[in-house]
Amino acid sequence: MSAVTKPVSDAEFSISVLESKEPVLVDFWAEWCGPCRVIAPALEELGGEYAGKLSIAKVNIDENPMTPTKFGVRGIPTLILFKDGKAAATHVGAAPKSVLKAFIDKNL
């Protein structure tokens, strides 16, 4: 992980995501998930491109089971865009960077 994407735990989720002043795109992932690893570089790049407008957080579902359960995450990768403390949009599954960028632009 880099400074662009920030790992967030169940304990930190409320402060880091729900109380954030800017929108936060949360990537629910796991080490064993191939598609999660495939989209990770695109999320890093998008994190840099949207710096100051959007934060990207990563929640490892194996280490932090409470948060994905609370938000109904059933498959990974799942991306949830949070705005003003609420889940505003969800994208499930791996996708190319262009699709992820379009998802962000449509919902930001």
Side-chain angles (χ1 to χ4, degrees):
M1 310 267 165
S2 73
V4 177
T5 58
K6 177 184 180 213
V8 175
S9 68
D10 282 339
E12 303 164 323
F13 193 84
S14 182
I15 291 169
S16 296
V17 177
L18 301 181
E19 295 176 21
S20 175
K21 303 243 183 284
E22 67 183 1
V24 181
L25 181 65
V26 180
D27 174 24
F28 292 93
W29 71 288
E31 285 288 338
W32 50 263
C33 170
C36 298
R37 290 196 307 271
V38 168
I39 67 168
L43 290 175
E44 289 285 334
E45 291 173 18
L46 290 166
E49 291 171 23
Y50 287 91
K53 293 184 241 168
L54 173 79
S55 298
I56 297 182
K58 295 180 78 67
V59 174
N60 182 319
I61 65 161
D62 290 332
E63 296 170 0
N64 303 285
M66 292 170 44
T67 302
T69 301
K70 181 177 179 181
F71 291 99
V73 174
R74 299 199 192 316
I76 54 172
T78 292
L79 303 173
I80 302 178
L81 180 65
F82 288 85
K83 294 196 300 193
D84 301 317
K86 295 182 177 70
T90 302
H91 177 87
V92 180
K97 181 182 173 186
S98 60
V99 172
L100 299 176
K101 183 172 178 18
F103 166 74
I104 292 168
D105 288 340
K106 177 182 172 192
N107 295 292
L108 200 57

